[in-house]
Each structure stands twice: as structure tokens, then as C-alpha cells.
């Protein structure tokens, strides 16, 4: 549906740092999570036309860990 729009809010901390991972695998994970969130937001927007779909992506971490949070309001 080309009329569907979603706002993406990012809060990516510079202090997040880096982690060792397989880029293609983690990319697929993020893509699937965001796709699922967009679908949920789309379904809700169809049921409630006044709904404003949003996906929020944030990150934080230190030398030991990285946390990435992805949240939708669908």
C-alpha cells in the first residue's frame, strides 16, 4: 500500500560501541523485526485511521555488551 507511511525515530548512542557478529545475519534479524513491526502498525492503521504509526530504534552499551531496542506502536 503506497499510501502507508511510518515514522522511524532513532536514538543511537555513540557510546554503544561495537560488537562482533555476522553482519548479514544480524541485518536479517533487524530487517525481520522491523518488517513485523511495520506490518503490525499497518494493520492497526487500517483499523484506526487516526493512528500514527511509529517505530523507535535505540541502542546503548559499553565494553561488555550492546543493547538494541526496536519498538513499534502497532
Amino acid at each position: 500500500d503506497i499510501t502507508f507511511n511510518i515514522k522511524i525515530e532513532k536514538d543511537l548512542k555513540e557510546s554503544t560501541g561495537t560488537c562482533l557478529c555476522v553482519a548479514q545475519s544480524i541485518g536479517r534479524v533487524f530487517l525481520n523485526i522491523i518488517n513485523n513491526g511495520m506490518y503490525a502498525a499497518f494493520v492497526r492503521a487500517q483499523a484506526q485511521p487516526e493512528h500514527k504509526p511509529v517505530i523507535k530504534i535505540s541502542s546503548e552499551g559499553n565494553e561488555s555488551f550492546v543493547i538494541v531496542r526496536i519498538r513499534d506502536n502497532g
Side-chain angles (χ1 to χ4, degrees):
D1 183 348
I2 61 171
T3 65
F4 177 71
N5 290 303
I6 191 163
K7 182 177 181 180
I8 298 177
E9 297 177 354
K10 297 179 283 186
D11 181 18
L12 307 174
K13 305 278 192 267
E14 285 187 35
S15 62
T16 299
T18 61
C19 67
L20 295 175
C21 64
V22 177
Q24 293 163 327
S25 295
I26 197 73
R28 272 194 299 272
V29 169
F30 290 153
L31 181 62
N32 286 331
I33 292 170
I34 292 169
N35 189 44
N36 290 345
M38 290 180 71
Y39 178 74
F42 172 76
V43 169
R44 183 169 176 193
Q46 294 294 309
Q48 301 171 340
E50 70 282 353
H51 177 68
K52 303 291 184 206
V54 177
I55 289 182
K56 297 179 182 180
I57 303 170
S58 64
S59 69
E60 63 182 272
N62 59 29
E63 305 83 34
S64 302
F65 64 89
V66 171
I67 297 173
V68 177
R69 291 183 176 92
I70 303 174
R71 181 177 181 199
D72 66 80
N73 66 350

